[in-house]
Structures are given as structure tokens and as C-alpha cells.
Amino acid sequence: MFPICFILFFLFSSTSNAAVQDFCVGDPAAPESPAGYSCKPVTKVTIDDFVFSGLGIPGNTTNIINAAVTPAFAAQFPGVNGLGISAARLDLAPGGVIPMHTHRGASELLIVTRGRITTGFISSANVVYYKTLKKGDSIVLPQGLLHFQVNAAKIHSVAFVSFSSPDPGLQILDFALFANNLPSPLVEKTTFLDDAQVKKLKGVLGGTG
Amino acid sequence: MFPICFILFFLFSSTSNAAVQDFCVGDPAAPESPAGYSCKPVTKVTIDDFVFSGLGIPGNTTNIINAAVTPAFAAQFPGVNGLGISAARLDLAPGGVIPMHTHRGASELLIVTRGRITTGFISSANVVYYKTLKKGDSIVLPQGLLHFQVNAAKIHSVAFVSFSSPDPGLQILDFALFANNLPSPLVEKTTFLDDAQVKKLKGVLGGTG
Amino acid sequence: MFPICFILFFLFSSTSNAAVQDFCVGDPAAPESPAGYSCKPVTKVTIDDFVFSGLGIPGNTTNIINAAVTPAFAAQFPGVNGLGISAARLDLAPGGVIPMHTHRGASELLIVTRGRITTGFISSANVVYYKTLKKGDSIVLPQGLLHFQVNAAKIHSVAFVSFSSPDPGLQILDFALFANNLPSPLVEKTTFLDDAQVKKLKGVLGGTG
Amino acid sequence: MFPICFILFFLFSSTSNAAVQDFCVGDPAAPESPAGYSCKPVTKVTIDDFVFSGLGIPGNTTNIINAAVTPAFAAQFPGVNGLGISAARLDLAPGGVIPMHTHRGASELLIVTRGRITTGFISSANVVYYKTLKKGDSIVLPQGLLHFQVNAAKIHSVAFVSFSSPDPGLQILDFALFANNLPSPLVEKTTFLDDAQVKKLKGVLGGTG
Amino acid sequence: MFPICFILFFLFSSTSNAAVQDFCVGDPAAPESPAGYSCKPVTKVTIDDFVFSGLGIPGNTTNIINAAVTPAFAAQFPGVNGLGISAARLDLAPGGVIPMHTHRGASELLIVTRGRITTGFISSANVVYYKTLKKGDSIVLPQGLLHFQVNAAKIHSVAFVSFSSPDPGLQILDFALFANNLPSPLVEKTTFLDDAQVKKLKGVLGGTG
Amino acid sequence: MFPICFILFFLFSSTSNAAVQDFCVGDPAAPESPAGYSCKPVTKVTIDDFVFSGLGIPGNTTNIINAAVTPAFAAQFPGVNGLGISAARLDLAPGGVIPMHTHRGASELLIVTRGRITTGFISSANVVYYKTLKKGDSIVLPQGLLHFQVNAAKIHSVAFVSFSSPDPGLQILDFALFANNLPSPLVEKTTFLDDAQVKKLKGVLGGTG
């Protein structure tokens, strides 16, 4: 049977070369394009490029928000590069909150795996859609809209979220406004917030100007 | 302050009308396009269109594969229509298996939430990538390639999976070959399987011809 | 020459039927899909479907922000439906501001046609990119990130903006937070803003809860 | 074995409902979206929706160009709707020519199956790429650029072409300029062609104005 | 407050690394992919990469067409790379014309900012859609179809145009036909133009062959 | 006329630089991105990059399947890189078969140019759609679904196929299951095939484990 097998392999061998793009494991050291990272050579790809263990580890919630986001985006999980999907883990200690934020590049699908979480989004028409989810409930949060998660349980709550892009982005409202050098007068002018409020939050979050 | 607020609302009101496409909750009764279901009118959309509780319920694994797939695709979960994402729950009783299958329209990201699962895929170059994952591990499975899940624990294992499309499709190899009226000679000719093997599996799965 | 011409037209006539999708002028009365509005029948389409005169008219800036946005999205300008582009006009009276906002579905390209405008955006890494533009200057603002425009001139300033989608969406931060029924405790919990600040702005913008 | 089979079908039955979008056979009587025709109900779809016999029939080349284009676009071949591909047959009698034209929505891949054909395209940089192809040769012609086919054999030549869209469009230069009511002064002003030339071709092709 | 701020930054720091793709400022010196130019490193990006001043400068209309196109495509304006949008400025002196042309890769949205411009396009069905626009009017011109602009005022007219791609392409009909080495017999065969006409325009535009 | 021509070329010269992306001929030696191969410099591109002669040569059918697939994907035909299309030639000697397979990344359009071919696909709903096609008939096979071709003539049959991607992928079922080191117990567990059947086919196709 040996010869037959060899003939078969020879027959399709050139096609197999085209198989590189079954996947495109990201190589952060090579040039990046608008479509994502360059591909690691297929010959160097192993199963470990497609596996990520970080979502199994609780994030450190000893912080101001009593919560943590553990991303598995293309930057952390090279296997998702080019595949249109990524994930993250949310940990919310009692009283924890993932503050108001947006993902510029993806819709989000969240499933609660422990505790209870109040979550929702605000539409371009300024309509609020939110609900308290129990373990096993899932919600979809449309791309680019403000949304939030708040622990609604007295215990540590956990959710797994996935995104419709390997690179969803994450812009946390308070960080965008108060954790950089955007001048306070400009923040106040464009948000209608009071000077005292802006300066207080800049103080907490390390902003200047 | 009342008048000012009214002026503001008037100012942007026509823009708000454009907000319909923040989302497009699927209306299965209206025409379907290559882009998905028609949108339910925004005025009838509620938070419940974006929430799905089915993934919290263990699937019934009392069957030949000792396993169950509970989909939350656009057909079951109208809120994901048009948003580039969907999900499913996998239940694997001891000895359970999700047989070899493909999703024509999406890559898959799986996270194990209970037990241990052996899972992997085969590339177009016929290279096998697989691993046994423990609770908390995740894997990404590229679009359109054969892959599988097998319970590697002695207990009931569970995984949540998400897809890079609201309509990933699901083609289970054995069902495609043995659970319809594709004539046995054609199955045998195109798969090299023996006649006895084909007829045995057609018997199990209800195929004819 | 008459017969030849007729033969030619007959030759290609079936192809001409396929020309419908040169464009898809939006018909708001028909079903909407994730790809946009249904198409108006080609036989009813005229040049006026592709022309929009609203951007030539200064917006009314007699309001709290001394500014106005005049959109030409698919909802206002049916000709852009399905064509991947839309536009708007910004009017900023002296002291005017287009408050901090995002477009969930498009990048924006702005050109100043009168006066001077300070504009910029904040990245996911919380880096601020902004500049004061004079007449003739243009800037590109990436999709889904917070950005703003402030009149930097003592005269009425004007800009034309275009978007990489017929339906870019527009979420104004203050409206999303303070002009609906999102409960104040939830606003405060997810933004770290003080209760007094939240209630003050809810009062201005008509929010409840 | 009967019960087992039934259990299996029950298990996955809701998933099967999501299978509608394996394909979206076009229904010209239902609303059209920017993504293409609405889908014919799956229950009414048969194998004949996916099969097209028109490309096997030589086009009528008894006309001014001694050539014919037989399209198999979504308008003629409903099965390709939503699938990103379509086809056409080119017949060129001796002396035949498919005049200079563009496809707004697709790249083209041509294979010569009889005779010899001179074909090529002109880039945006005004560089000409063309060659005379023999039977079995193929060429790819990038989207939206002017290209042409001329019979280079003394016999009837044939090519099959495919497109990267179910709706590639076809704009034939001479028809666009001379076979409608675009006023001659406007044609002359925008093409630099002489008045006599414009009127001569309008006469041949039935143009007015 | 210092420690808290540090904890927060640490918490989300790995996410920030994923922020590269908020934008992808083009680096012409690095490899180019079908998705556009490679990205300039984020650490080297400044606000000036997103700002372009060329559209404020009138083009030189002292030429055969009494008109000028000033592009702000990805090649001239690196900030638009990967963002789905670009722009250009049209200057038309009295008697000026932007000759019949196509953009292979984008739809166009034009707004008149000075004077009056007659503009329109021809569909695949050979229907002409055109109109004379006054200052403030806008028009959308679908991707890949022949279109033109003619100054309809006795003064210098100006328009700003935007495109649904950072790389729309620009193929000017007369340049494609008469400004290269495409042999005259081939031009004549594929356009039905007379030999004298072809040679006259080749003379004007520098074509050979 | 010389000066005029020069002025014109100068006028549009910067635009011409943007023409690189009319096409992106693949350069396998440069980095690969999720969007495909890097582009060969335009200055080195010739007409031969867009022409492929391999589809005119009958594949070698002296093998176990009495058939051959000759691909013209981006890996073999660099000109199709980035253009959304590719092709292949199928040769089926008497008794020949292209075994059950999928293309993860493309729909397929097949036209029979010699003989008769039985071909079809199986949907996610496990419905079989197949037919015997004669010379000149074409069929479209939706992306990612199992399909096959069998020679239905007593002579050598030939088909040309095109794909809606320059990189469709090709996963042949028997090769995926039996021509690698996927352990037999895992194959059996995930396909329900008997151990003897698996080992027999592994023997034929060179699989181990």
C-alpha cells in the first residue's frame, strides 16, 4: 500500500502549502497590518499557540474597583489573531464594578458562571437596556456602546466574555477622561462636569493638566 | 433648565433615528437576507431580546453520545443577529463525546468550566493539534476545520463556546454521511469506507439509501 | 444602424438586470437587515435620491452647547445606504462645543471650512491626541473612540465630516449618562462621579432615576 | 436502533434550524438589501437552485462585436446569492471583441477553453498589462479596472470567467458614453472626444442628446 | 491616592498593549499587505500623523483641464491607513473639468464648498444620473462607476470629497486609453473610436503605440 | 503638445503612487498577514504575475482515486492574492473521484468542460443536494460544507472550479482522519467507525497511532 499512499501525498502536496492560512498565529515581532499581526511560520506553530490558561486564574480584585479584567486578546493569546474572536474573564469581588466602558472593535457576549451581575448598555438613542443576571444567564452587548458590570451578589462573581474580534479594544470612561494629560478645562468643556469633580477624579486616577 | 433640555433633544433628534442599527434583533417572521434576519422594530425591542438563559441549563446527555450541544445562535437568541457573535454550551457526561464536526461560518473559542475535555482540530495540511484541557483552560478552533470534544474526566464536564458569527452552522460528520438519503454506494465511493461500515452506521443514525 | 443597436441591447439585456446593486437607495418602509435598509426599486430611483442639500444649511446653535450637528446618514440621506459612507455638518458658534462622544460604527474624517476648531481623540491606551485646526486642515478620528470638537475661534466655525459607514451611530457621553432613566446610584457606581454632580447634570439634561 | 436515532435528532434539532444560512438562494420577489436578494425559504430550495445550464450554450455572436457575454450572476443564477461568487461565458467569433469595460464589484478570473484570446487591464497608474492567452491559460483581472478581450484566433474562441461577487456589475465603456441620453457636450467635455466621433458612436449605439 | 492609581494601571496594563489597533498609521517603508500598509509603531505615532493640511491649499489649475485633484489617500495621509476612509479636494477653474473616471475601491461623497458643479454617474444599466449642485449641496457616487465633475460657475469652484476606503484608486478614462503604450489598433478595436481620434488624443496625452 | 502632457502627469502624479493596491501580487518571502501575503513591489510586477498556465495541463490521475486536483490558489498563483478569487482544475479518469472534502474559506463554482460529473453537497441540516452534470453545466457549492465529485462518464471528465477566496483551503475527509497521527481510539470515539475500518484506511493512507 506504500506506493499508493505516496502518490496521494504527492498529488495534493502543493495544495497543502496553501494551508498556512487555516490560521495565522500572531508574531508580535514581525510587522503589524490593519488586519492584525503577521503570522508565525506554520512549521513553528504548536497546539500551545491555540491554548490559553489565563482565564482560569482569578484576577486580583484588591483594587479601587474590587474587580479585574483578564483579557485573552490577540496581544495575550496569539492563536486568535486573524480568527475574528477573543475572550476575557471578569472577576467582581463583593461591591465590585467594571466601570462604564466601550469596545471600539467588537460586540461582546457575556455569561455569568458564578454569583449575580447587573449589566447593560446604553443605545445611541440614549435608551438604557440592563438586567441583573444570575449564574448561567448570558447577554449580548452591541459594538461600540457604553456598558458596565456591577456585582449584584454578596459573593465573588465571575463572568466569561467573548468578543467578535481578536482585538476588541477597551476604553474605560474614567481612565480616558481622568488618567492622562487632557487639560482639565478641555475635559470640563466637553463633559459639562464641574472643575472640582474633574480634579478630584484626576487625583484618584493619576491624571495631570 | 427645562427649555434647554428640550432644545438639546430637538437638536439631535434626527440622529437618534439613525440609531436603529446599534443592533438588529432578529425577526424570524420577516425576510431573511445573506446578512441575517430582518430587524425587529426598535420600539418593540426590550432587554429580554439581548438576554438568553438557555446556557445555564445542562443539556440532556441521555443519548448515544452521552453529550449535548445547546446552541445560542441567531435562531435561538435573536439579540445576536448582525452582531458577529454567538455561543453554545457543551455538556459531556462521563464517556461523552461531541463527534467530529465543522462550523462553516465561524471560528470557535472554548473554555472549560467543569471537568476535563480533550479537544483539537485537524488542519488542511492534515496536521493534528489537540490537547486535554482542565477547568479554566481555553482553546481556539479555526473556522471550517474538523474538530471534536471528548470528556477526559470521570465526572460530567462542561464547556462554554463562542463563535465569530451569529450563524456559525454545525455539520456533524456522521450525521452528514449516515443520517440522510445519500446513497450508500456514493458514500462508499467518496469516503473509501466499507459497505458494511456504512450500512451499520446508517442503521444507527436513521440513514436510508 | 437601428438593427445593430437593437442586437447589442438584446445581447446584454439580462446583465443589465443585475445592475440593481450598483446602489441600494434605502426604503425605510421595507424590512431592515443587518446590512442596512431594503433597496428602493431601481425604476423609482432618481438623481434626487443621491443628492442631499441639508449640509449647506447652518445648524441652529441657539442651545446649551452653542453648536449643532446636521447628520446625512442613511436615515436622512437614503442614497448612501449600502455604500459605506455618510457625512455631517458641524456648526460651532463662538464658545460652541460638540461634547465628548463616540461613533460605534465608523471612523470620521473632518475638514474645517471656516474658523478654527480644537479636536482630538483618546486612545484605548488613554493617550490623548488633539490639535487646533485652522481652515483647510483635516483630521481622522478612529472608530469607536471618545473624541470632541471645541470652537477655537471668536467667529462661527464650520466643519464637514464624513464617516466610513452609512450608519455611524452617535453616542454623546452626557446624554448617555444623564438624559435617560439609568438610576443615579448605577451611574455613580460605574463612573465614580459624585451624587451631586450626577443629579445636577440629570437636571440639566432631563434624566430621571 | 430507532429510539437512539430519534434521541440524536431531537438533541440537535434546534441547531438545524440555524442551518438556513448555509446558503441564501435569491428570491427576486422579496425585498433586496445591500447584501443581496432575500432568501427563498429553505423548504422550497432544491438542487436545481444551485445548478445553472446557461454557460453550456454558445452566445449569439451575430452582432456588431461578433461576441457575446452570457452572465450567471445572482439575477440569472439565484443559487450564488450571498455566496461571494458568480460566473459568465464569453464567446468570441473570429474578429470578435468584448469591448473595454469594468466590473464595479468584483475581480475576474478568466480561463480560455477554446481558441486564443488577447486580454488585459490598465492600472490606476495607467500601466497596461496584457497578453495573448491560449487554451488552458488563465488570467486574473483586478476589481474595477478597465479591461478587454479580443479574439486572437481565426476560430470561435471561448472563455469561462468567474467573479469574486454574486453581483459583479458590468459597465461597458461605449454603452456608458454613447447609448443613453448623456448630452453630447457633456460627453465631449469629460472625455476630450471630438463632436463628430461622439455623434457617430451615439448613432451606432442608439444614444440621444 | 498614589497607590490606588498604580494598582489600577497595573490591573489593566496588559489590555493597553492590545490598543495598537485603535489605528494603524501607515509605514510605507515596511511590507504592504492586501489590508494596507504596515503600522508605524504606536510609540512613534503623534497627533501629526492624523492631521493633513494639504486639502486647504488650492490645487494648480493651470493645465489642460483647468482643474486639479489633491488626494489625501493613505499614500499621502498615513493616518487613514486601515480606517476605511480618505478624502480629496477638487479645484475647478472657470471652464474646468475632472474628466470621466472611476474609483475601483470606494464610493465617493462630494460636497460643494464654492461655486457650482455639474456632476453625476452612469449606472451599469447605462442610466445617467447627474445634476448641477450649488454650494452646500452634496452627492454620493457609487463605487466603481464612471463619473465626472464640470465647473458650472463662472468662478473657481471647489468641492471636498471623501471615500469609503483609505485607498480608493483613481482611473481617469483618457489617461487609461491614451497616456500609455496600449497599441492604437487595440484601443480602436475595444472602444470603436476612429484611428484619427485615438492618435490625436495619444498626441495630447503622451501615449505611444 | 509636450508641455501640456507633462503638466497633466505632474498634476496627478501623487495619486498614481496610491495605485499600488489595484492589486497585491503575493510575495511568499515577506511576512504574511491574516489578509494574505505581503505585496510584491509594483515596479517588479509584470503581466506574467497575473497569468497562470497550470490549469491547461491535465493532472496525473494514475493514483488511488483516479483523479487529480490542480490548484491555482494564492500559493501557486501569486496574482490572485488579495483579490478574493482563485481557481482549480479537476481531472477525473474513468472511475475517478474527488473524495468528500470541505473548503474552510470559500464557496465553489464548478463548470464541467468534458464528460459528466456527479457532484453535490450536504447541508448543516443534513439534507443532500446532488446531481449529475453534463458538459456546460455549472453548480455552486456553499462554503465549508462537505461535498464531492464522481466521474459519471466512461471517458476522462474535466471541470474548472473557482473559489470566492484566494486561499480557500482544502480538507479531504479521509486524509484528515486517516493520514496523520491522530490516535485510532480518538478517531473511533469521534466518528463511530469500527477499529478495523480505521486501521484499514490508516494503512492505505499512511496514518499512524
Side-chain angles (χ1 to χ4, degrees), chain A residues 31-37 60 62-65 67-69 71 73 75-76 98-99 104 167 169-170 172 175 179 203-206, chain E residues 1-2 4-5 7-12 14-24 30-31 33 35-40 81-82:
Chain A
E32 192 173 356
S33 85
Y37 293 109
N60 182 351
T62 308
N63 54 41
I64 197 177
I65 57 172
V69 175
F73 299 173
Q76 295 85 28
I98 310 293
R104 58 157 167 68
D167 175 29
L170 167 56
I172 299 169
F175 280 46
V204 174
L205 295 167
Chain E
M1 296 274 175
F2 207 51
I4 289 171
C5 139
I7 286 168
L8 261 173
F9 267 88
F10 180 77
L11 174 67
F12 291 107
S14 61
T15 302
S16 298
N17 294 335
V20 172
Q21 287 278 11
D22 280 353
F23 43 75
C24 175
S33 84
Y37 292 109
S38 287
C39 312
K40 186 174 171 177
N81 187 54

Side-chain angles (χ1 to χ4, degrees), chain F residues 148-189:
Chain F
F148 60 89
Q149 284 90 23
V150 174
N151 194 349
K154 294 185 179 166
I155 61 168
H156 186 111
S157 293
V158 177
F160 289 110
V161 296
S162 52
F163 298 95
S164 62
S165 164
D167 175 29
L170 168 56
Q171 182 164 56
I172 299 169
L173 177 57
D174 276 61
F175 280 46
L177 297 180
F178 308 120
N180 50 38
N181 61 349
L182 185 62
S184 296
L186 212 42
V187 176
E188 292 157 25
K189 178 89 176 173

Side-chain angles (χ1 to χ4, degrees), chain E residues 66-125:
Chain E
N66 296 307
V69 175
T70 305
F73 299 172
Q76 295 84 29
F77 185 5
V80 299
N81 187 54
L83 293 184
I85 200 159
S86 63
R89 173 191 174 119
L90 308 184
D91 284 276
L92 298 113
V97 57
I98 309 293
M100 200 67 80
H101 63 284
T102 55
H103 305 286
R104 59 157 167 69
S107 293
E108 173 178 343
L109 197 154
L110 175 154
I111 181 160
V112 178
T113 57
R114 190 172 193 273
R116 293 163 54 89
I117 296 175
T118 300
T119 181
F121 67 95
I122 305 157
S123 79
S124 295

Side-chain angles (χ1 to χ4, degrees), chain C:
Chain C
M1 295 279 175
F2 207 51
I4 289 170
C5 139
F6 259 58
I7 286 169
L8 261 175
F9 267 88
F10 179 77
L11 174 68
F12 291 106
S13 62
S14 61
T15 301
S16 298
N17 293 335
V20 172
Q21 286 280 9
D22 279 353
F23 43 75
C24 175
V25 175
D27 175 1
E32 193 173 356
S33 85
Y37 292 110
S38 288
C39 314
K40 187 175 171 177
V42 171
T43 51
K44 295 189 178 172
V45 170
T46 72
I47 176 62
D48 291 325
D49 290 303
F50 301 105
V51 173
F52 186 75
S53 293
L55 301 184
I57 303 164
N60 183 350
T61 59
T62 310
N63 54 42
I64 196 177
I65 58 171
N66 296 307
V69 176
T70 305
F73 299 172
Q76 295 85 28
F77 185 4
V80 299
N81 187 54
L83 293 184
I85 201 161
S86 63
R89 172 191 175 120
L90 307 186
D91 284 276
L92 297 111
V97 58
I98 310 293
M100 201 65 81
H101 64 283
T102 56
H103 305 285
R104 58 157 167 69
S107 293
E108 174 177 343
L109 197 153
L110 175 152
I111 181 160
V112 178
T113 57
R114 188 172 194 275
R116 292 164 55 89
I117 295 175
T118 300
T119 180
F121 67 94
I122 304 157
S123 79
S124 294
N126 299 319
V127 177
V128 186
Y129 300 86
Y130 77 105
K131 195 165 191 173
T132 298
L133 307 182
K134 64 180 186 304
K135 182 179 169 182
D137 287 347
S138 46
I139 189 172
V140 65
L141 303 160
Q143 179 172 346
L145 299 178
L146 283 165
H147 60 286
F148 60 89
Q149 284 90 22
V150 174
N151 195 349
K154 294 186 179 167
I155 61 166
H156 186 111
S157 293
V158 178
F160 289 110
V161 297
S162 52
F163 298 96
S164 62
S165 163
D167 175 29
L170 168 55
Q171 182 163 56
I172 299 169
L173 177 57
D174 275 61
F175 280 47
L177 297 181
F178 308 120
N180 51 37
N181 61 350
L182 184 62
S184 295
L186 213 42
V187 176
E188 293 157 24
K189 178 90 177 173
T190 60
T191 63
F192 305 144
L193 295 175
D194 292 335
D195 181 62
Q197 178 73 85
V198 169
K199 287 186 173 148
K200 178 179 173 187
L201 286 168
K202 283 208 169 194
V204 175
L205 295 167
T208 58

Side-chain angles (χ1 to χ4, degrees), chain B residues 2 9 64 203:
Chain B
F2 207 51
F9 267 88
I64 197 177

Side-chain angles (χ1 to χ4, degrees), chain A residues 65-149:
Chain A
I65 57 172
N66 296 306
V69 175
T70 305
F73 299 173
Q76 295 85 28
F77 186 5
V80 299
N81 187 53
L83 293 184
I85 200 158
S86 63
R89 173 191 174 118
L90 308 184
D91 283 277
L92 297 112
V97 57
I98 310 293
M100 201 66 81
H101 64 284
T102 55
H103 305 286
R104 58 157 167 68
S107 292
E108 172 177 344
L109 197 153
L110 175 153
I111 182 160
V112 179
T113 57
R114 189 172 193 275
R116 292 163 55 89
I117 296 175
T118 300
T119 180
F121 67 95
I122 304 158
S123 79
S124 295
N126 299 320
V127 177
V128 185
Y129 300 86
Y130 76 106
K131 194 165 191 172
T132 298
L133 306 182
K134 65 179 185 304
K135 182 180 169 182
D137 287 347
S138 46
I139 189 172
V140 64
L141 303 161
Q143 178 172 347
L145 300 177
L146 284 165
H147 61 285
F148 60 90
Q149 283 91 23

Side-chain angles (χ1 to χ4, degrees), chain B residues 32-34 63 76 104 167 205, chain D residues 7 14 18 20-22 39:
Chain B
E32 193 173 355
S33 85
N63 54 42
Q76 294 85 29
R104 58 158 167 69
D167 175 29
L205 294 167
Chain D
I7 286 169
S14 61
V20 171
Q21 287 278 10
D22 280 352
C39 313

